[in-house]
Amino acid sequence: MGIMRLGGVKIRCLDLQASVDYYTKVIGFEVTGQDKDGNVYLKGWDEFDHHSLTLTPSNRAGLEHISLKVQSPDDLVFYRNKLEGAGVKVETLPAGSEMGMGEALWFEDPGGHWVKMYAEMEQVGTKVGALNPDPWPPGLQGIGAPRLDHILLAAEDAQKSTDFYMHLLDFWMSERLVTKNGDLIAAWLFRTNTVHDIAIIAGPQGKMHHFSFLLDDWNEIRKAADVIAMNDVKIDIGPTRHGISRGLTIYFFDPSGNRNETFAGGYMPFPDSPVITWTEDEIGRGIFFFQRELNEAFTTVFT
Amino acid sequence: MGIMRLGGVKIRCLDLQASVDYYTKVIGFEVTGQDKDGNVYLKGWDEFDHHSLTLTPSNRAGLEHISLKVQSPDDLVFYRNKLEGAGVKVETLPAGSEMGMGEALWFEDPGGHWVKMYAEMEQVGTKVGALNPDPWPPGLQGIGAPRLDHILLAAEDAQKSTDFYMHLLDFWMSERLVTKNGDLIAAWLFRTNTVHDIAIIAGPQGKMHHFSFLLDDWNEIRKAADVIAMNDVKIDIGPTRHGISRGLTIYFFDPSGNRNETFAGGYMPFPDSPVITWTEDEIGRGIFFFQRELNEAFTTVFT
Amino acid sequence: MGIMRLGGVKIRCLDLQASVDYYTKVIGFEVTGQDKDGNVYLKGWDEFDHHSLTLTPSNRAGLEHISLKVQSPDDLVFYRNKLEGAGVKVETLPAGSEMGMGEALWFEDPGGHWVKMYAEMEQVGTKVGALNPDPWPPGLQGIGAPRLDHILLAAEDAQKSTDFYMHLLDFWMSERLVTKNGDLIAAWLFRTNTVHDIAIIAGPQGKMHHFSFLLDDWNEIRKAADVIAMNDVKIDIGPTRHGISRGLTIYFFDPSGNRNETFAGGYMPFPDSPVITWTEDEIGRGIFFFQRELNEAFTTVFT
Amino acid sequence: MGIMRLGGVKIRCLDLQASVDYYTKVIGFEVTGQDKDGNVYLKGWDEFDHHSLTLTPSNRAGLEHISLKVQSPDDLVFYRNKLEGAGVKVETLPAGSEMGMGEALWFEDPGGHWVKMYAEMEQVGTKVGALNPDPWPPGLQGIGAPRLDHILLAAEDAQKSTDFYMHLLDFWMSERLVTKNGDLIAAWLFRTNTVHDIAIIAGPQGKMHHFSFLLDDWNEIRKAADVIAMNDVKIDIGPTRHGISRGLTIYFFDPSGNRNETFAGGYMPFPDSPVITWTEDEIGRGIFFFQRELNEAFTTVFT
């Protein structure tokens, strides 16, 4: 089967407590544990695994690593072989490298991002349970985001990173942004039936542009914008729509300056879906369909 | 990879023209072809394959067959072997058994429904195209449903049918409804990251309860209800919410009495998601979360 | 100027504590006071006057009276004269007949409902305040209804009651439901630019059909339905749409059996708007646009 | 009774045909007539009067006049006296000064805007009719705006203009924006139960900031933004929320550069509502609640 989803991200925080406050009170995630190294683990109310977001104290913002969950331990064997066969150096992390996580593979993508691949994680369960559940739990904080959605990674060579995720990790491409000459500027890649689990954009090696939380619909986007504003969280742009992905979105910054997104909408891509191509002259409309031009922060701030 | 989605359904119609009018003007699908046997092929605006709905003239309503699309011709070989290994009789249909369709497998499920499995279909493209597309096309008719979503099949032995789809066709279970004794009344099965591509309910062998069109959100459900009412289409129930699947829904009938659904909402299940169990004493709330009881038509009308 | 709005309703409750719990936890109103007779006063978060809902202990459900707020004490003089001139007996209630209320007129309408008319009430303020306010307050309970909207009164002679409100109290008519012979079955009357502040329906004298809380939109209606279901509150019908008023609605019952409604949508009527007429043969579609037929409870339960 | 609503606006257009195309295909108004002077009259689908928008050819953009509809010819007499008593020069325009309009008063407000006051206009009727109507008509173009909502007028002396509308024309104030010293920067004034029918802002005398079309809710705002973008109409800002008025909004420009708005949301103000005060230090949040700062175009472009 292979990779099921973007299982988690580990994010560096300048002020851990401020970040925990923000991700619980504004985003609405809940803390599920803290380890002896000070890492704080969080999950959305509709996620059943132990965590999808790890906050780690640091003197700079940014992405520590992404985590990809595969369906079974056999997949770990399969991908170790496939990666090593392609010359990628793969380490094995014993169970417990994160709270509740089983054995994991550890490798670097061509864009300079570290990737953890794992098959097992302790299940905490969603907040509504698995027996005659209500559709949502009362008392959610802030935005009340149900789950982690995707991440946008920067890479000096977007084509090389895209090839890595497609050829070695079996991602499919839903959309791409290309120059006049057909060179790849950005790619939207999926394993689930959503427009992207991981996207790649040409940019500073090893950096992240944003990671995103899933919301139900445009109305939840409006509520999120209200919550963001009421909490004096800095908005980058939105609410708006992406031309690329059709997604409905807000970009904003966590207390360390890491860019967050709330994302809703989009459509269902499949492995046999024609790849949608955006040409560079339509980049404004592709990125922000309503504004039809990029704002400066969007193109310059990476962490 | 295996099965990507419910690729299509073939539906019997008492009055073909009335049905074509209905599925185009009310549902908002478009006709993509008609073959020499009088079958009319239709697709939603956001589907790229030639068709997902086939209407065939008949003297009774009901389901002719479902179609499952696999990723590659290799999958056809794989599933032929797997099915035959389990004693299922599998025929091969040459390319062209439906307009634009490649070679297909043809077999019966334990519930008495015929299944077509295919890997190739001519691509017509979505209505917004694959180059710098708008998020939706202007001028949609009626509900403007973007795509087919799922089907609910009745089977005398719901457990046996469920086992067939799970063990032989590699579906996963998101939710199930069980009796006090733990016997299966109904199962919600998926291959995509949606709550169900196929659901099975204990009921009259070979019959269909409904098939469903995907909508974006609760607001599109409201608009669909308006369109349904303005067109004097008979509503079974809704707009309401399912407890099972969390889906937002309307049930209504096509001109032949086949039950249609518009479905939005739900959540993202994965192969490792805990199965959600509904107990029979909560069946009312499970099926119709707001009404908390079943209406008579819902439990008695199958075609 | 005259009557500004339906200022309040006083409702009889079989179990006062159960009712207070319900109107605070499910409807989301807040208690603003209790007087020595045991009356409990409540208001919505977006209302500035002391209360719009009074709960009074009783051995039967139903409406005690409605309250109409006029713009100034001069209006009380004006309407006393106008009512008495038409032979209506008008009493004067001294300030304090309800907590925070100024002097009031007290009279009976032809349908057997008692009406209080007042010009002054202590202002408590909305929950967001009047200085640089947020658009809504965090931490609302349940449905979080911002305000009281309207009431539907039954009257043996609907025409007579309608004439009373239109000719003596200067209401305008937005819509009406008439028999084949043109006799009035029901009338929707307004003083604000909403479809109805008071509606009249032919039915048991002195009884109430429902009173209604305003919600923002269809999405809030969906949330309200979830809350109602999660709290095991009995739904009469909905979410659905009214043909009459275009309103989006749910009907449900408080713990004493008084029918509540949440209402959103509609349109803006004006004194010069043509009256919209519904004919009896379209009553189903007029009342419940989606179902196009009345349910039994709707036509038989009055309190 | 007095003024019922902002009945209409007359707008100057550089290219009449381009403007007619825009207001019909993008805004979704319909043309109801053209007079011998080349003025084109339009209305929204949910308006019953002959027109609410008049387009007039000109070599510059801007507002020609606003029209206020009063309830009866007596109101014209009343306001003529009141205005003249305050030293305002009032002319009488005979019936037919616009297509379908009765006799009108004609005067200038202190901000240099011309005002027409009228009591009678031919009724064309809404697009759904007044007999058993559907909630909305199929086949609307573009945004499909149901009606004109409000206008924001600039005035050198905002206080003086505000006094004029409040003291002479009996408007009420819902919200105001004031300097540190309490001087009025802007005022939101109403006659209907909406936050504003007319707003006044300190700015270039005789100019208009924008006029606005009413939409149902945040979802219609999203659809409007899609339509605006698909039609390459220049967006000023939005979709966003106003802190002031709580309204959900998009600002954009017609082909002549006149600023349009689509407005939804808000709340119900009454004559006895406490005035909400915004202080200058919160102006960003007051105008654009999500961005919390003004964009340059918003503060500089008047027509």
Side-chain angles (χ1 to χ4, degrees):
Chain A
M1 157 66 183
I3 294 167
M4 291 188 295
R5 65 179 170 272
L6 175 67
V9 293
K10 184 173 183 179
I11 302 296
R12 293 189 293 261
C13 303
L14 303 180
D15 175 337
L16 186 67
Q17 190 52 49
S19 291
V20 170
D21 284 353
Y22 164 84
Y23 283 103
T24 53
K25 290 178 191 161
V26 177
I27 300 298
F29 265 39
E30 55 181 328
V31 172
T32 54
Q34 181 161 17
D35 66 24
K36 60 179 168 39
D37 299 323
N39 299 305
V40 176
Y41 299 94
L42 302 101
K43 67 181 278 297
W45 71 262
D46 203 26
E47 295 174 321
F48 43 84
D49 273 353
H50 181 271
H51 64 273
S52 61
L53 173 64
T54 309
L55 302 177
T56 194
S58 177
N59 57 4
R60 61 190 176 115
L63 172 72
E64 196 74 11
H65 71 256
I66 65 169
S67 300
L68 301 174
K69 193 172 187 189
V70 294
Q71 194 174 348
S72 78
D74 289 350
D75 291 310
L76 295 183
V77 176
F78 174 83
Y79 280 112
R80 164 184 293 282
N81 290 337
K82 196 166 176 185
L83 287 161
E84 289 181 346
V88 178
K89 192 182 160 196
V90 180
E91 287 178 70
T92 300
L93 305 179
S97 69
E98 299 181 19
M99 277 183 79
M101 185 182 274
E103 194 182 88
L105 307 186
W106 180 250
F107 52 91
E108 195 179 2
D109 77 13
H113 309 94
W114 286 93
V115 181
K116 205 179 261 198
M117 182 183 281
Y118 64 107
E120 287 170 345
M121 185 177 276
E122 180 194 339
Q123 289 198 346
V124 171
T126 73
K127 216 160 181 169
V128 291
L131 181 65
N132 303 318
D134 279 338
W136 46 271
L140 292 173
Q141 293 285 303
I143 293 170
R147 64 183 311 113
L148 181 67
D149 192 72
H150 68 265
I151 191 164
L152 172 52
L153 302 172
E156 271 181 21
D157 186 335
Q159 184 66 59
K160 203 168 159 192
S161 264
T162 299
D163 289 346
F164 178 86
Y165 282 98
M166 293 186 71
H167 300 160
L168 294 184
L169 299 181
D170 300 313
F171 279 74
W172 300 284
M173 185 187 285
S174 58
E175 309 203 17
R176 64 183 182 139
L177 176 65
V178 296
T179 65
K180 231 179 304 196
N181 305 324
D183 294 334
L184 192 71
I185 301 169
W188 286 258
L189 308 176
F190 66 101
R191 285 291 304 171
T192 62
N193 296 102
T194 66
V195 186
H196 48 355
D197 299 299
I198 293 178
I200 311 286
I201 191 164
Q205 183 80 349
K207 298 283 191 180
M208 160 184 77
H209 184 273
H210 70 268
F211 66 99
S212 186
F213 300 97
L214 185 68
L215 296 184
D216 276 358
D217 56 28
W218 178 237
N219 204 70
E220 291 295 299
I221 293 283
R222 197 271 306 146
K223 182 188 143 192
D226 281 337
V227 169
I228 288 165
M230 288 181 196
N231 284 279
D232 289 322
V233 172
K234 190 175 164 41
I235 281 192
D236 183 0
I237 193 167
T240 187
R241 184 197 274 282
H242 295 304
I244 299 166
S245 85
R246 294 185 201 160
L248 303 165
T249 177
I250 314 168
Y251 286 120
F252 48 105
F253 295 100
D254 83 0
S256 305
N258 295 298
R259 191 188 279 100
N260 286 175
E261 184 189 29
T262 51
F263 183 90
Y267 58 91
M268 284 184 73
F270 299 91
D272 65 333
S273 299
V275 173
I276 291 170
T277 298
W278 290 81
T279 53
E280 199 178 5
D281 55 310
E282 293 271 359
I283 189 171
R285 195 169 143 267
I287 303 294
F288 299 127
F289 190 70
F290 299 154
Q291 290 77 14
R292 280 161 289 163
E293 59 183 25
L294 303 186
N295 59 333
E296 197 194 329
F298 184 81
T299 54
T300 56
V301 177
F302 292 83
T303 59
Chain B
M1 159 68 185
I3 294 167
M4 291 188 295
R5 66 179 171 273
L6 175 66
V9 294
K10 184 172 183 180
I11 301 296
R12 292 190 292 262
C13 302
L14 304 181
D15 175 336
L16 186 67
Q17 189 52 51
S19 291
V20 170
D21 283 353
Y22 164 85
Y23 283 103
T24 51
K25 291 179 190 161
V26 178
I27 300 299
F29 266 37
E30 54 179 330
V31 172
T32 53
Q34 182 161 16
D35 66 23
K36 61 179 167 36
D37 299 324
N39 298 305
V40 176
Y41 298 94
L42 302 101
K43 67 181 278 295
W45 70 262
D46 203 25
E47 295 174 322
F48 41 85
D49 274 353
H50 181 270
H51 63 273
S52 61
L53 173 63
T54 309
L55 302 178
T56 194
S58 176
N59 57 2
R60 62 194 174 111
L63 172 72
E64 196 75 9
H65 71 257
I66 64 170
S67 300
L68 301 174
K69 191 171 187 190
V70 293
Q71 195 173 348
S72 75
D74 290 350
D75 290 310
L76 295 182
V77 176
F78 174 83
Y79 280 112
R80 165 184 293 282
N81 290 337
K82 195 165 176 184
L83 287 161
E84 287 181 345
V88 179
K89 192 184 160 195
V90 180
E91 287 179 69
T92 301
L93 305 180
S97 70
E98 300 182 18
M99 277 182 80
M101 185 182 274
E103 193 181 88
L105 305 186
W106 179 249
F107 51 92
E108 195 179 4
D109 78 13
H113 309 93
W114 286 93
V115 181
K116 204 179 263 198
M117 182 182 282
Y118 65 108
E120 288 170 345
M121 184 177 277
E122 181 195 338
Q123 289 199 347
V124 171
T126 73
K127 217 160 180 169
V128 291
L131 180 66
N132 303 318
D134 279 338
W136 45 270
L140 292 173
Q141 292 287 302
I143 294 169
R147 63 183 311 113
L148 181 68
D149 191 70
H150 68 265
I151 191 164
L152 173 52
L153 301 172
E156 270 182 20
D157 187 335
Q159 185 66 59
K160 206 169 158 190
S161 264
T162 299
D163 289 346
F164 178 87
Y165 283 97
M166 293 185 71
H167 301 160
L168 294 183
L169 299 182
D170 300 313
F171 279 74
W172 300 284
M173 184 186 286
S174 57
E175 309 204 16
R176 64 186 182 137
L177 176 65
V178 296
T179 66
K180 232 179 306 196
N181 304 323
D183 293 333
L184 191 72
I185 301 169
W188 286 259
L189 308 176
F190 65 101
R191 286 289 305 170
T192 62
N193 295 102
T194 66
V195 187
H196 48 353
D197 299 298
I198 293 178
I200 311 285
I201 192 163
Q205 186 77 352
K207 298 284 191 180
M208 161 185 76
H209 185 273
H210 70 267
F211 65 98
S212 186
F213 300 96
L214 185 68
L215 296 185
D216 275 358
D217 57 28
W218 177 238
N219 203 72
E220 291 295 298
I221 293 283
R222 198 268 308 144
K223 182 189 141 192
D226 282 336
V227 168
I228 288 165
M230 288 181 196
N231 284 279
D232 289 321
V233 171
K234 189 175 163 42
I235 281 193
D236 184 0
I237 193 168
T240 187
R241 185 197 273 283
H242 294 304
I244 299 166
S245 86
R246 294 185 201 159
L248 304 165
T249 177
I250 315 167
Y251 286 120
F252 49 105
F253 295 100
D254 83 0
S256 305
N258 295 300
R259 191 188 280 98
N260 287 173
E261 184 189 29
T262 52
F263 183 90
Y267 57 92
M268 283 183 74
F270 299 91
D272 65 333
S273 299
V275 173
I276 291 170
T277 298
W278 290 82
T279 54
E280 197 178 6
D281 57 309
E282 294 270 0
I283 189 171
R285 196 169 142 269
I287 303 294
F288 299 126
F289 190 70
F290 298 154
Q291 290 76 13
R292 278 160 290 163
E293 59 184 23
L294 303 186
N295 60 332
E296 199 194 328
F298 184 82
T299 55
T300 56
V301 177
F302 292 82
T303 58
Chain C
M1 156 67 184
I3 294 167
M4 290 188 296
R5 64 178 171 273
L6 175 67
V9 293
K10 183 171 182 180
I11 301 296
R12 293 189 293 262
C13 302
L14 304 180
D15 175 338
L16 186 67
Q17 190 53 50
S19 291
V20 170
D21 284 353
Y22 164 84
Y23 283 103
T24 51
K25 291 179 190 160
V26 178
I27 300 298
F29 265 38
E30 54 181 330
V31 172
T32 53
Q34 181 161 19
D35 66 24
K36 60 182 168 37
D37 299 324
N39 299 304
V40 176
Y41 299 94
L42 302 100
K43 67 181 278 297
W45 71 263
D46 203 25
E47 295 173 322
F48 42 84
D49 273 352
H50 180 269
H51 64 272
S52 61
L53 173 65
T54 308
L55 303 177
T56 193
S58 177
N59 58 2
R60 62 193 173 111
L63 173 72
E64 197 74 9
H65 71 257
I66 64 169
S67 300
L68 301 175
K69 192 171 188 190
V70 293
Q71 196 174 346
S72 78
D74 290 350
D75 291 311
L76 295 183
V77 176
F78 174 83
Y79 280 112
R80 164 185 293 282
N81 290 337
K82 195 166 177 184
L83 287 162
E84 288 180 345
V88 179
K89 192 183 160 197
V90 181
E91 287 178 70
T92 301
L93 305 179
S97 69
E98 299 182 20
M99 278 182 79
M101 185 181 275
E103 194 182 86
L105 306 187
W106 179 249
F107 52 92
E108 195 179 2
D109 78 13
H113 309 94
W114 286 93
V115 181
K116 205 178 263 196
M117 183 183 282
Y118 65 108
E120 288 171 346
M121 184 177 278
E122 180 194 339
Q123 289 199 347
V124 171
T126 73
K127 216 160 181 170
V128 290
L131 181 64
N132 302 319
D134 279 338
W136 45 270
L140 292 173
Q141 293 286 303
I143 293 169
R147 63 183 312 114
L148 181 68
D149 192 71
H150 68 265
I151 191 164
L152 173 51
L153 302 172
E156 270 182 21
D157 187 334
Q159 184 67 58
K160 206 169 156 191
S161 264
T162 299
D163 289 345
F164 178 87
Y165 282 98
M166 293 185 69
H167 300 160
L168 295 183
L169 300 181
D170 299 315
F171 279 74
W172 301 284
M173 184 186 285
S174 58
E175 309 204 16
R176 62 183 184 138
L177 177 65
V178 295
T179 66
K180 229 179 308 195
N181 305 324
D183 294 334
L184 191 71
I185 301 169
W188 286 258
L189 307 176
F190 65 101
R191 285 289 306 171
T192 62
N193 295 102
T194 67
V195 186
H196 49 354
D197 299 299
I198 293 179
I200 312 285
I201 191 162
Q205 183 78 351
K207 298 283 191 181
M208 160 185 76
H209 185 272
H210 70 268
F211 66 99
S212 186
F213 299 97
L214 185 67
L215 296 185
D216 276 358
D217 57 27
W218 177 238
N219 203 71
E220 291 294 299
I221 293 283
R222 197 270 307 146
K223 181 188 145 194
D226 282 337
V227 168
I228 288 165
M230 288 181 194
N231 283 279
D232 289 323
V233 171
K234 188 173 164 45
I235 281 192
D236 184 0
I237 192 167
T240 186
R241 185 198 275 280
H242 295 304
I244 299 166
S245 85
R246 295 185 202 160
L248 304 165
T249 177
I250 314 168
Y251 286 120
F252 49 105
F253 295 100
D254 84 359
S256 305
N258 295 300
R259 191 187 279 99
N260 287 174
E261 184 189 29
T262 51
F263 182 90
Y267 58 92
M268 283 183 75
F270 299 90
D272 65 334
S273 300
V275 173
I276 292 170
T277 298
W278 290 81
T279 53
E280 197 177 8
D281 56 309
E282 293 271 359
I283 189 170
R285 195 170 144 269
I287 303 294
F288 299 126
F289 190 70
F290 298 153
Q291 290 76 13
R292 280 160 288 163
E293 58 183 24
L294 304 185
N295 60 332
E296 199 195 327
F298 184 82
T299 54
T300 57
V301 178
F302 292 83
T303 60
Chain D
M1 158 67 185
I3 294 167
M4 290 188 295
R5 64 179 171 272
L6 175 66
V9 292
K10 183 171 182 180
I11 301 296
R12 292 190 293 261
C13 302
L14 304 181
D15 174 338
L16 186 68
Q17 190 52 50
S19 290
V20 170
D21 283 353
Y22 164 84
Y23 283 103
T24 52
K25 291 181 191 158
V26 178
I27 300 297
F29 265 38
E30 53 179 332
V31 172
T32 53
Q34 181 161 16
D35 64 24
K36 60 180 167 39
D37 299 324
N39 298 305
V40 177
Y41 298 94
L42 302 100
K43 68 182 276 297
W45 70 262
D46 204 24
E47 294 174 322
F48 41 85
D49 273 353
H50 180 270
H51 64 272
S52 61
L53 173 63
T54 308
L55 302 178
T56 194
S58 176
N59 58 1
R60 61 193 175 113
L63 173 71
E64 195 74 10
H65 71 257
I66 64 168
S67 300
L68 301 175
K69 192 171 187 190
V70 293
Q71 196 173 346
S72 77
D74 289 350
D75 290 311
L76 295 183
V77 176
F78 173 84
Y79 280 112
R80 164 184 292 282
N81 290 337
K82 195 165 175 183
L83 288 161
E84 289 180 344
V88 179
K89 191 184 161 198
V90 180
E91 289 178 68
T92 300
L93 305 179
S97 70
E98 299 181 19
M99 277 182 79
M101 185 182 274
E103 193 182 86
L105 305 186
W106 179 250
F107 52 91
E108 195 179 3
D109 78 12
H113 309 93
W114 286 93
V115 181
K116 204 179 264 198
M117 182 182 283
Y118 65 107
E120 287 170 347
M121 185 177 276
E122 181 194 338
Q123 289 200 346
V124 171
T126 73
K127 216 160 180 170
V128 290
L131 180 65
N132 302 318
D134 278 338
W136 44 271
L140 291 173
Q141 293 286 304
I143 293 169
R147 62 183 311 115
L148 180 68
D149 192 70
H150 68 264
I151 191 165
L152 173 51
L153 302 173
E156 270 182 22
D157 186 335
Q159 185 66 58
K160 204 168 158 192
S161 264
T162 298
D163 289 346
F164 178 86
Y165 283 98
M166 293 185 70
H167 300 160
L168 294 184
L169 299 182
D170 300 313
F171 279 74
W172 299 285
M173 185 187 285
S174 58
E175 310 204 16
R176 62 183 184 140
L177 177 65
V178 295
T179 66
K180 231 179 307 196
N181 305 324
D183 294 334
L184 191 71
I185 301 169
W188 286 258
L189 307 177
F190 65 100
R191 285 291 304 172
T192 63
N193 295 103
T194 66
V195 187
H196 48 354
D197 299 298
I198 294 179
I200 311 287
I201 192 163
Q205 184 78 350
K207 298 283 190 179
M208 160 185 77
H209 185 273
H210 70 267
F211 66 99
S212 185
F213 300 97
L214 184 67
L215 296 185
D216 275 358
D217 57 28
W218 177 239
N219 203 72
E220 291 295 299
I221 293 283
R222 197 269 307 144
K223 182 188 141 194
D226 282 337
V227 168
I228 289 165
M230 288 181 195
N231 284 279
D232 288 321
V233 172
K234 188 172 164 45
I235 282 192
D236 182 1
I237 193 167
T240 186
R241 184 198 274 283
H242 294 304
I244 299 166
S245 85
R246 293 185 203 160
L248 304 165
T249 178
I250 315 168
Y251 286 121
F252 49 104
F253 295 100
D254 83 359
S256 305
N258 295 299
R259 190 187 279 99
N260 287 173
E261 184 190 28
T262 52
F263 183 90
Y267 57 91
M268 283 182 72
F270 299 91
D272 65 333
S273 299
V275 173
I276 292 171
T277 298
W278 290 82
T279 52
E280 197 178 6
D281 56 309
E282 294 270 0
I283 189 171
R285 195 169 144 268
I287 303 293
F288 299 126
F289 191 69
F290 298 154
Q291 289 77 13
R292 279 162 288 163
E293 57 183 25
L294 303 186
N295 59 333
E296 199 195 328
F298 184 81
T299 54
T300 55
V301 177
F302 292 82
T303 58

